[in-house]
Amino acid sequence: DIQMTQYPSSLSASVGDTVTITCRASRYMSNYLNWYQQKPGKAPTLLIYDASALQSGVPPRFSGSGSGTDFSLTISSLQPEDFGTYYCQQSYSSITFGGGTKVEIK
Amino acid sequence: QVHLQESGPGLVKSSQTLSLTCTVSGGSISSGNYYWSWIRQPAGKGLEWLGRIYTDGSTNYNPSLKSRVAVSGDTSKNQFSLKLTSVTAADTAVYYCARGAHSVSLSFDYWGQGILVSGSS
């Protein structure tokens, strides 16, 4: 299995800040990487697929980058509704998720 | 719009089999390039993929759970199901069904609301 290490595990930022979350894979996985947002008590929602493609309906302040083993999710101009936990997920070898990054708004 | 809805018992006794069903509307489980999956999440923890069934009926499972998990489909009812054997308290989690869509990667673009299942002694 490919292990996905996500960091930081939590962060607190102000409205308008730019936030970056990183996901590192235990081995090469091309761009088979997706990002999700999960609000408390709700199912995750897909934000980014194929490392950098924006899912339909997702605001363009969300962006993804990376390939190989290192990936990042950037939220530009953080909004109050962006609180929640963010997960990366790989599908290069089986399917595994990162441990999550909890984003709080200051 | 695709909609998924999980159903099944909320409590399963230890050593017994957990059985859940996902009813899909707005799309067929037997057409398209889609993988219909089960994913679970223990309270306060991360997500774990359990297994999936493709539109042709083929299945794949998480290697760490492979001996205990089975996913099957019923095209006449547009449903797919999960069976997890030898349940323990460690299997207590919210169980989600989700649609996996293939571009380069496989991503989950539609999810059910989730169902809490407790494995009790």
Side-chain angles (χ1 to χ4, degrees):
Chain A
D1 276 4
I2 296 178
Q3 308 304 317
M4 307 301 295
T5 303
Q6 231 180 292
Y7 52 91
S9 57
S10 65
L11 65 90
S12 181
S14 299
V15 171
D17 285 351
T18 293
V19 167
T20 299
I21 298 167
T22 299
C23 195
R24 175 164 289 169
S26 59
R27 61 181 174 94
Y28 174 85
M29 48 172 271
S30 186
N31 64 332
Y32 287 60
L33 192 282
N34 311 304
W35 290 97
Y36 301 84
Q37 177 194 63
Q38 185 178 34
K39 300 277 181 81
K42 301 293 187 181
T45 58
L46 179 64
L47 300 173
I48 301 287
Y49 63 95
D50 298 349
S52 61
L54 191 67
Q55 173 69 355
S56 176
V58 174
R61 65 179 180 273
F62 292 92
S63 64
S65 64
S67 184
T69 60
D70 293 314
F71 303 86
S72 62
L73 172 72
T74 298
I75 311 172
S76 304
S77 188
L78 191 71
Q79 298 300 300
E81 61 268 28
D82 297 336
F83 77 92
T85 302
Y86 292 80
Y87 293 94
C88 60
Q89 171 247 319
Q90 67 82 21
S91 66
Y92 188 80
S93 175
S94 188
I95 294 172
T96 52
F97 291 85
T101 296
K102 186 175 183 178
V103 173
E104 296 179 328
I105 309 295
K106 283 182 184 175
Chain B
Q1 184 80 350
V2 176
H3 183 74
L4 296 91
Q5 179 69 57
E6 305 89 349
S7 60
L11 185 64
V12 179
K13 291 185 177 179
S14 288
S15 78
Q16 296 196 342
T17 297
L18 179 160
S19 296
L20 297 175
T21 296
C22 183
T23 300
V24 179
S25 57
S28 171
I29 68 166
S30 58
S31 63
N33 189 22
Y34 300 116
Y35 295 79
W36 303 92
S37 280
W38 288 96
I39 297 160
R40 70 179 180 180
Q41 184 174 37
K45 296 189 177 181
L47 299 157
E48 180 180 35
W49 175 74
L50 302 178
R52 67 190 183 195
I53 185 166
Y54 186 51
T55 51
D56 66 358
S58 60
T59 55
N60 298 97
Y61 300 112
N62 184 326
S64 68
L65 291 165
K66 189 174 182 179
S67 63
R68 298 176 53 211
V69 174
V71 179
S72 60
D74 184 339
T75 56
S76 66
K77 296 180 180 179
N78 213 32
Q79 296 174 333
F80 64 105
S81 298
L82 170 73
K83 288 191 185 300
L84 179 67
T85 61
S86 304
V87 163
T88 70
D91 296 309
T92 296
V94 174
Y95 286 74
Y96 296 100
C97 57
R99 187 182 84 166
H102 239 302
S103 44
V104 171
S105 64
L106 180 73
S107 59
F108 300 106
D109 56 355
Y110 289 97
W111 297 65
Q113 65 183 21
I115 183 169
L116 175 62
V117 180
S118 297
S120 79
S121 54

